[in-house]
């Protein structure tokens, strides 16, 4: 093996990480029109277009850049994560790109499709002990034992994206809206998992002085809405969210309530209904968190319509339908959990057609 200076390795690693998937950027901005509300243009920023199919790809790319730049990752550092989600899939991809070993500690009950997605990117996993909350502790211990780097997205993603350079999701939204009839949106709507995406958008709005307001939608059981509404920075529910990627049992360090103008709690059945409607009405196949985004977006569009405001609203497709076909997108899965999307689906269909909610 040729001896290389660690800085040469680092520069090459950062170049590779930045270049991966760059031919797919900017991700598409899809227009969605509601016949019942002709004065408002809705746009969906499609983050499922990244190589690993999820918006987590952006966060993990930034975390690898930051870990290399800060010296935490070198040519022989194993990378450890504590999730079975989209962070693990993206983490496995970037680790392989740099020739590093990747292991993630996953909950004992993780579905085989999810593990297959991690394996397809060259990652390994290890089943955690119960309860799922202990996975973080276990992953940290593993990282320590191996002399590895723990990829801690809840703590590091927000700072990494701010420091990584290159266009953010917010830069891409405003660039692309430049040529549209309403180039400065009234609202941008997103969910919060790590909180990094909402923080990146909120920082951008302040930096560029846009009057656009930031709305964050929140699923059942999440600590974020009560934390924002009560001003209690360490609010915890202790209950896991049923909508993958968003909602947390406790307030995570990357969540920045001061940047958020409005939080909208969304029933889980409404999230499932909205994502079903999106497929039927627009042919867009998205994951459940996109339904949460869309439900919140419709409420804001209804407010605009009532106030006689024309303009645009932007929200995100966080990931595609692929990982959820046998779970969230399967009517039997919803029924077994006592979730009935039917009335919500009728409401959103009527709103799109007439501009009125069923009760108003
Ligand atoms: C992580 C995630 C989010 C939330 O993004 P954060 O930047 O972590 O707050 C939303 N949707 C999906 C599908 C996600 O995976």
């Amino acid at each position: 093996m040729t001896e290389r200076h660690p800085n040469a390795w680092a520069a090459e690693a950062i170049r590779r990480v930045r270049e991966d998937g760059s031919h797919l950027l900017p991700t598409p901005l899809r227009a969605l029109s509601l016949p019942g509300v002709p004065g408002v243009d809705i746009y969906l920023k499609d983050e499922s277009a990244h190589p690993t199919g999820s918006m987590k790809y952006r966060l993990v790319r930034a975390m690898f850049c930051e870990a290399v730049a800060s010296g935490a990752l070198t040519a022989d550092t194993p990378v450890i994560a504590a999730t079975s989600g989209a962070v693990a899939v993206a983490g496995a991809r970037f680790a392989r790109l740099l020739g590093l070993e990747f292991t993630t500690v996953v909950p004992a009950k993780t579905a085989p499709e999810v593990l297959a997605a991690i394996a397809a990117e060259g990652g390994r996993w290890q089943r955690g002990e119960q309860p799922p909350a202990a996975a973080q502790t276990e992953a940290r211990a593993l990282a320590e034992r191996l002399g590895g780097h723990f990829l801690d997205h809840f703590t590091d993603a927000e700072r990494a994206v701010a420091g990584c350079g290159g266009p953010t999701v917010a830069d891409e939204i405003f660039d692309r809206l430049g040529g549209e009839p309403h180039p400065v949106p009234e609202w941008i709507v997103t969910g919060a998992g790590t909180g990094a995406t909402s923080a990146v958008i909120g920082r951008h709005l302040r930096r560029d002085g846009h009057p656009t307001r930031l709305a964050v939608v929140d699923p059942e059981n999440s600590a974020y809405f009560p934390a924002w509404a009560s001003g209690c920075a360490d609010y915890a529910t202790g209950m896991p969210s049923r909508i993958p990627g968003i909602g947390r049992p406790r307030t995570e360090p990357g969540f920045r309530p001061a940047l958020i103008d409005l939080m909208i709690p969304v029933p889980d059945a409404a999230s499932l209904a909205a994502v079903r409607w999106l497929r039927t009405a627009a042919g867009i196949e998205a994951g459940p968190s996109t339904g949460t985004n869309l439900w919140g977006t419709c409420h804001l569009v209804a407010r605009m319509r009532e106030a006689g405001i024309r303009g645009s609203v932007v929200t995100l497709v966080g990931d595609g339908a692929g990982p959820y076909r046998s779970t969230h997108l399967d009517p039997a899965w919803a029924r077994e959990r006592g979730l009935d999307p039917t009335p919500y689906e009728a409401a959103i269909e009527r709103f799109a057609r007439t501009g009125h909610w069923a009760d108003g």
Side-chain angles (χ1 to χ4, degrees):
M1 209 179 90
T2 50
E3 279 299 316
R4 295 184 69 191
H5 192 278
N7 291 353
W9 181 87
E12 170 64 13
I14 290 172
R15 192 190 63 73
R16 279 199 201 176
V17 166
R18 284 203 177 134
E19 203 167 290
D20 187 63
S22 60
H23 61 291
L24 300 170
L25 295 178
T27 54
L29 193 68
R30 306 187 190 284
L32 179 73
S33 55
L34 306 183
V37 197
V40 180
D41 302 326
I42 300 175
Y43 297 91
L44 297 165
K45 175 73 169 159
D46 188 357
E47 291 291 279
S48 73
H50 290 295
T52 58
S54 151
M55 60 195 283
K56 284 297 181 316
Y57 177 84
R58 264 187 214 275
L59 305 186
V60 174
R61 180 175 52 199
M63 288 171 69
F64 270 77
C65 276
E66 170 60 22
V68 172
S70 67
L73 264 192
T74 63
D76 52 10
T77 316
V79 182
I80 321 294
T83 171
S84 60
V87 164
V89 183
R93 180 181 176 94
F94 285 113
R96 180 161 68 179
L97 191 68
L98 303 185
L100 305 176
E101 269 180 33
F102 179 85
T103 310
T104 186
V105 180
V106 304
K109 286 200 301 186
T110 305
E113 298 96 300
V114 173
L115 297 176
I118 298 168
E121 294 289 355
R124 292 191 295 195
W125 64 84
Q126 159 174 326
R127 285 184 198 275
E129 310 291 326
Q130 333 272 7
Q136 289 252 343
T137 318
E138 230 173 297
R140 265 180 215 288
L142 180 64
E144 199 139 308
R145 207 161 62 239
L146 300 176
H149 174 64
F150 176 45
L151 203 61
D152 185 355
H153 52 295
F154 289 112
T155 304
D156 296 343
E158 199 257 336
R159 202 169 29 86
V161 176
C164 174
T168 66
V169 68
D171 292 320
E172 289 183 13
I173 289 170
F174 279 93
D175 278 356
R176 175 60 179 64
L177 277 183
E180 296 293 311
H182 301 288
V184 178
E186 290 291 312
W187 291 95
I188 297 179
V189 184
T190 185
T194 66
T197 304
S198 51
V200 163
I201 295 167
R203 285 174 191 272
H204 183 103
L205 297 177
R206 269 159 191 74
R207 190 196 69 196
D208 285 11
H210 290 304
T212 305
R213 283 170 291 170
L214 173 62
V216 171
V217 291
D218 209 32
E220 289 173 30
N221 299 336
S222 174
Y224 288 146
F225 171 69
W228 177 83
S230 68
C232 170
D234 57 359
Y235 202 98
T237 63
M239 296 268 285
S241 165
R242 288 185 292 205
I243 306 296
I246 61 170
R248 292 291 299 163
R250 58 159 200 226
T251 316
E252 302 291 350
F255 178 68
R256 303 257 172 251
L259 298 174
I260 299 169
D261 295 293
L262 180 69
M263 286 204 67
I264 306 174
V266 177
D268 291 347
S271 297
L272 300 182
V275 83
R276 280 188 200 178
W277 174 83
L278 185 64
R279 194 183 74 177
T280 317
I284 297 173
E285 301 214 25
S289 78
T290 303
T292 320
N293 286 344
L294 196 60
W295 187 263
T297 298
C298 285
H299 275 269
L300 296 171
V301 170
R303 277 197 189 184
M304 287 170 68
R305 184 186 171 281
E306 279 159 29
I309 298 169
R310 296 173 156 267
S312 58
V313 179
V314 179
T315 192
L316 281 75
V317 172
D319 59 7
Y324 310 109
R325 292 192 203 282
S326 66
T327 54
H328 298 71
L329 303 179
D330 176 0
W333 185 93
R335 221 175 304 119
E336 278 159 23
R337 281 153 189 80
L339 296 170
D340 181 12
T342 324
Y344 296 101
E345 205 174 348
I348 195 168
E349 186 279 324
R350 181 172 187 268
F351 174 69
R353 198 164 31 84
T354 67
H356 296 279
W357 285 106
D359 58 3

